[in-house]
Amino acid sequence: MSITVRDLSGVGEAAAQLLAKLHIYTPVDLLFHLPRDYEDRSRIIPMSQLFVGKTALLQGTIQSVDFPPGKRTSMAIQINDGMGKITLRFYQVYKGLKEKFRVGSSVRVFGEVRVGARGLELYHPEYQFVSPDEPLPASRLTAIYPTTEGLTQAKLRQFVDQALKHYSQHLPELLPSQCVKHYDMQAALRYIHQPPVDANVFDLAEGRHPAQQRLIFEELVAHQISLLTRRHYIQSIAAPVIQPSQQLIAELLAGLAFKPTGAQQRVSAEILQDLQHSKPMLRLVQGDVGAGKTLVAAMAACHVLESNWQVALMAPTEILAEQHFINFSQWFEPLGIQVAWLSGKQKGKARELSEHLVKTGQAQLVIGTHALFQANVAFKKLGLVIIDEQHRFGVDQRLALREKGNAGTTPHQLVMTATPIPRTLAMSAYGDLDTSIIDELPPGRTPITTVTIPFEKREQVIARVAANCTEGRQAYWVCTLVEQSESLDAQAAEDTFAELSERLPHLKLGLVHGRMKPEEKQAVMRAFKNNELHLLIATTVIEVGVDVPNASLMIIENAERLGLSQLHQLRGRVGRGSTASFCVLLYKSPLSENGTERLATLRASTDGFVIAEKDLELRGPGEILGTRQTGLLGFRLANLQRDEYLLPQAQRIAALILKDHAELAEPLLQRWLPEAPRYAYV
Ligand code: ADP
Ligand code: MG
């Protein structure tokens, strides 16, 4: 029988259930339940060097004791160590507590540094009255674990201690020997759980200690193995070999009012290379908003269509899918290609007809939303799947469309994202994809000027909208709310629409939000595109893909509530024509520190990659890729900013393991990604 936590002394049914809440079932799970922080009682921190949110051992002389007025009774004790001061705050003031703290005496305290009404404070610290030169008792760093209610740190520490003593020596080494330099597995875990007296606290607290980095490296290797095996698996099924288009592409380009940029041509060539192989293409095209990804997709489609295979293009929202449908119909119908439309909201006869066209192959090009994934949608001969705005779809969905290929073949996949993904993140989230970057905007674009304006000056902004629209240019007014609620957002947009309609009677206004019927939305979007409306009031539904070159002004209300990448996406709706464009970020003060930094970043840069790097720094990877993908990036230890430098080597070692030490792959996945799907390595 296998060993469980119940085999540790002191673990009964109740403790086992609490541990299960932390996903700890075995002593080995305990070993990998790593501290989230450390308590350092080994040194006294000078009060001039305190960090908010950190626990600290302090010692000082009591300056004053008083009971500040306020809703809750509390006692405040100020102490000073000659370099700084801090306030100790007690909310439960029992009889005699005040008498203990005598002005002029010396006290040693331990607690978490916070910001309170009097500046830096410790709430309910542990305290001990000492003589000023009393020596510190011998002590080392104490691990603090993530835990759950009812399970104390002391108990966890004691369980971990047993696991270290009795089970850590049996842990197998899963990395090739050249990777194990300073710490073997056992030594690394021991160091991390029970750091020695002389350990470097700062490195440990930040996860930069070599013992930690050794585990982090192993986790990154496991992730790369998972990505590589998936890639190999997908590529083990044959894909159609596509011939370069002779006719269609020339006709498409001849019908355009412009020439592809150098970057568009280069990326198209990279795609064509892939398509000519019998292995499925797995390519991610990154290009900032407005870089012209749609044309690159259309050029890729030409090759596949001319080789007599079907192409499916999928977008994350109805509006975006509709816009692609309109574009592609205009481009391809004159060339004799029938384009079909498939969306979730389409019902009855219309839906049946679309499905029929797709199934019989009459429609060679199919455009739609995630409805394309659904089981009852069958293709005659699907050769290429194009997914726009990838960050909104999960990997599972990507795999689902792959399965729509003919028996024995898998379609090529082209993924396009307008959220520039920092290189490190791309390596981890899309390590299974090849990447192309459209790093050049079409000529003639004028840069967007971004300004931030406090809500108090909203009047001036309305006047500016009026002036802009009277001069024949169009504008967007974007409404956002705190809650992620479509109906509240819609309400805000409706209110703003009513207000601005009254204020700007000489302008034609339109309204789009997520709660409108698709036909209604489409009609409004079309009217705006045809310059029949001056001002479009919208929710963030217009975030991706919408393309109206004559719109040169965008107002974003409550801009402080949105993330950087989302603001960048929204702003990308303007600056698509030749007139100078403006983006006004209306915010409510006071701004948080993070909010200030976000708005400043947007003012300073229009480069999507710069913004994405900053977003990664401010909000972490989950936010950038969308929640659906956080599972994929669910690192237990690794932090992509901190550990970026390890990635190239992790990728190399992962490949090496699969090549020369394949027997290590499964145990590594078992250790770090027990729930990830497994793909046989071939
Ligand atoms: P995105 O990469 O954000 O999807 P789009 O494909 O929507 O960008 O293109 C943005 C705009 O630029 C569209 O109006 C498109 O017609 C135009 N465009 C694309 N490529 C070029 C080009 N090479 N020269 C001029 N305009 C272009
Ligand atoms: Mg686009």
Side-chain angles (χ1 to χ4, degrees):
M1 237 189 69
S2 58
I3 294 162
T4 75
V5 283
R6 295 292 298 270
D7 295 297
L8 299 172
S9 82
V11 181
E13 184 52 36
Q17 272 176 19
L18 289 170
L19 288 167
K21 281 194 189 164
L22 300 169
H23 305 284
I24 297 170
Y25 307 96
T26 67
V28 171
D29 292 341
L30 266 171
L31 292 174
F32 284 94
H33 188 68
L34 300 180
R36 64 170 167 77
D37 204 353
Y38 296 90
E39 268 179 21
D40 182 9
R41 295 175 189 244
S42 68
R43 73 201 77 198
I44 291 171
I45 308 284
M47 291 184 202
S48 53
Q49 292 174 23
L50 299 177
F51 287 99
V52 174
K54 289 273 172 203
T55 54
L57 185 67
L58 312 175
Q59 186 169 321
T61 312
I62 298 174
Q63 305 292 312
S64 63
V65 181
D66 69 322
F67 294 85
K71 267 193 231 130
R72 285 176 69 190
T73 338
S74 72
M75 181 168 89
I77 298 145
Q78 196 184 90
I79 63 172
N80 184 316
D81 68 353
M83 283 164 282
K85 61 185 169 60
I86 194 163
T87 299
L88 317 179
R89 172 95 52 179
F90 293 87
Y91 282 103
Q92 281 121 32
V93 187
Y94 58 84
K95 205 160 170 280
L97 182 67
K98 176 172 188 283
E99 285 64 38
K100 285 190 180 174
F101 289 89
R102 284 196 310 274
V103 172
S105 62
S106 188
V107 65
R108 191 176 281 169
V109 293
F110 183 83
E112 184 185 322
V113 179
R114 304 213 220 167
V115 179
R118 294 213 171 151
L120 295 183
E121 300 194 0
L122 297 182
Y123 295 172
H124 296 265
E126 294 173 35
Y127 57 88
Q128 181 192 7
F129 299 96
V130 292
S131 66
D133 48 4
E134 186 151 316
L136 281 172
S139 157
R140 59 181 177 186
L141 293 183
T142 313
I144 307 176
Y145 295 99
T147 187
T148 184
E149 207 181 319
L151 191 61
T152 62
Q153 292 291 337
K155 271 201 191 130
L156 258 174
R157 273 180 217 133
Q158 193 231 323
F159 300 156
V160 170
D161 186 57
Q162 290 182 56
L164 278 170
K165 284 205 178 86
H166 304 301
Y167 298 96
S168 64
Q169 63 275 30
H170 307 307
L171 278 179
E173 221 33 85
L174 298 180
L175 289 178
S177 54
Q178 71 262 40
C179 302
V180 184
K181 291 194 195 94
H182 305 296
Y183 292 89
D184 63 20
M185 202 57 189
Q186 187 184 359
L189 287 171
R190 183 168 288 278
Y191 198 102
I192 294 167
H193 285 291
Q194 301 179 344
V197 184
D198 61 350
N200 183 331
V201 198
F202 293 104
D203 280 356
L204 273 174
E206 288 183 11
R208 294 181 197 275
H209 191 277
Q212 293 164 311
Q213 293 279 295
R214 185 241 182 271
L215 295 192
I216 289 164
F217 181 71
E218 190 177 306
E219 178 175 37
L220 291 173
V221 168
H223 269 259
Q224 292 299 326
I225 286 177
S226 170
L227 288 168
L228 281 175
T229 51
R230 188 167 72 211
R231 181 185 166 88
H232 283 288
Y233 167 70
I234 293 174
Q235 293 204 323
S236 66
I237 306 167
V241 176
I242 303 295
Q243 303 303 326
S245 161
Q246 302 296 325
Q247 222 186 337
L248 216 45
I249 197 160
E251 288 174 2
L252 172 79
L253 295 179
L256 295 177
F258 48 78
K259 276 195 156 59
T261 62
Q264 283 170 320
Q265 278 169 352
R266 176 175 48 74
V267 173
S268 296
E270 286 165 5
I271 293 169
L272 179 57
Q273 278 287 328
D274 292 351
L275 292 173
Q276 290 173 272
H277 290 117
S278 61
K279 270 193 196 173
M281 166 171 77
L282 292 168
R283 187 167 287 278
L284 175 71
V285 172
Q286 294 192 52
D288 210 344
V289 277
K293 292 182 289 297
T294 320
L295 179 60
V296 168
M299 289 164 76
C302 285
H303 305 297
V304 179
L305 294 170
E306 198 167 310
S307 292
N308 270 316
W309 288 83
Q310 285 172 299
V311 175
L313 191 162
M314 189 179 57
T317 65
E318 292 266 329
I319 288 190
L320 187 52
E322 274 161 26
Q323 190 168 316
H324 280 316
F325 179 64
I326 294 165
N327 275 334
F328 279 77
S329 300
Q330 277 169 2
W331 284 338
F332 284 98
E333 299 258 336
L335 309 181
I337 304 280
Q338 189 170 355
V339 187
W341 166 249
L342 249 179
S343 95
K345 294 200 171 138
Q346 195 180 27
K347 296 268 148 30
K349 282 249 149 57
R351 175 69 183 248
E352 269 171 43
L353 177 63
S354 287
E355 284 179 13
H356 177 75
L357 291 174
V358 175
K359 196 166 154 189
T360 56
Q362 270 165 280
Q364 262 194 284
L365 190 49
V366 188
I367 301 190
T369 58
H370 54 271
L372 288 171
F373 291 129
Q374 282 160 12
N376 51 344
V377 178
F379 291 80
K380 173 118 189 288
K381 232 183 133 186
L382 183 58
L384 170 65
V385 172
I386 303 170
I387 303 178
D388 197 8
E389 315 294 352
Q390 155 71 10
H391 63 294
R392 299 222 169 179
F393 293 108
V395 172
D396 301 342
Q397 287 170 305
R398 227 167 70 206
L399 289 177
L401 257 187
R402 181 185 58 76
E403 272 145 26
K404 298 261 178 211
N406 277 25
T409 72
T410 189
H412 295 284
Q413 274 186 43
L414 184 64
V415 172
M416 303 193 291
T417 175
T419 304
I421 301 164
R423 203 183 58 86
T424 46
L425 205 51
M427 254 174 124
S428 311
Y430 304 115
D432 57 336
L433 300 178
D434 298 310
T435 326
S436 297
I437 299 181
I438 309 180
D439 53 4
E440 177 188 355
L441 291 180
R445 299 277 169 81
T446 44
I448 307 167
T449 309
T450 301
V451 292
T452 50
I453 297 184
F455 182 77
E456 291 71 34
K457 296 194 178 154
R458 193 162 173 272
E459 285 305 311
Q460 294 173 19
V461 175
I462 294 174
R464 182 159 174 184
V465 169
N468 175 83
C469 293
T470 317
E471 284 165 24
R473 291 186 302 273
Q474 294 168 279
Y476 295 97
W477 189 293
V478 183
C479 305
T480 64
L481 270 181
V482 194
E483 284 93 342
Q484 284 299 328
S485 147
E486 214 177 52
S487 61
L488 288 177
D489 255 7
Q491 185 61 48
E494 273 166 9
D495 293 348
T496 307
F497 177 74
E499 180 208 351
L500 293 177
S501 298
E502 206 179 295
R503 304 280 306 278
L504 304 168
H506 57 296
L507 297 183
K508 292 208 193 67
L509 275 59
L511 171 68
V512 276
H513 57 65
R515 303 245 292 182
M516 286 162 60
K517 292 211 181 81
E519 309 86 70
E520 291 172 347
K521 272 189 293 188
Q522 210 171 329
V524 175
M525 289 309 300
R526 198 172 291 146
F528 190 63
K529 190 152 187 165
N530 293 340
N531 204 355
E532 292 155 18
L533 298 172
H534 294 108
L535 178 61
L536 185 68
I537 321 284
T539 56
T540 52
V541 295
I542 59 152
E543 180 188 340
V544 282
V546 171
D547 185 37
V548 181
N550 189 46
S552 59
L553 174 62
M554 170 169 285
I555 318 298
I556 305 177
E557 280 208 81
N558 301 315
E560 77 280 3
R561 290 170 182 170
L562 298 183
L564 260 180
S565 293
Q566 199 178 8
L567 286 166
H568 177 66
Q569 291 285 323
L570 278 170
R571 178 173 63 178
R573 302 307 112 217
V574 295
R576 296 183 157 232
S578 51
T579 34
S581 289
F582 294 89
C583 177
V584 177
L585 305 174
L586 262 178
Y587 66 90
K588 281 219 181 76
S589 0
L591 282 174
S592 66
E593 200 177 307
N594 192 301
T596 309
E597 212 171 329
R598 264 181 287 144
L599 298 190
T601 305
L602 277 162
R603 257 197 330 257
S605 177
T606 49
D607 181 331
F609 281 89
V610 172
I611 288 166
E613 291 282 0
K614 191 76 192 173
D615 208 17
L616 180 62
E617 184 187 318
L618 291 175
R619 298 200 306 168
E623 298 287 342
I624 296 184
L625 294 173
T627 42
R628 289 211 186 111
Q629 301 235 327
T630 42
L632 170 74
L633 282 175
F635 290 117
R636 276 149 68 180
L637 307 180
N639 166 325
L640 288 179
Q641 278 148 278
R642 180 190 61 205
D643 307 320
E644 169 174 10
Y645 79 102
L646 291 171
L647 269 170
Q649 205 198 344
Q651 227 173 20
R652 267 201 312 279
I653 296 297
L656 178 95
I657 288 177
L658 290 175
K659 191 163 136 297
D660 294 339
H661 306 276
E663 73 287 354
L664 294 176
E666 178 53 30
L668 273 168
L669 291 174
Q670 193 55 45
R671 181 178 283 175
W672 294 102
L673 294 157
E675 271 143 42
R678 299 296 205 277
Y679 303 98
Y681 180 67
V682 282

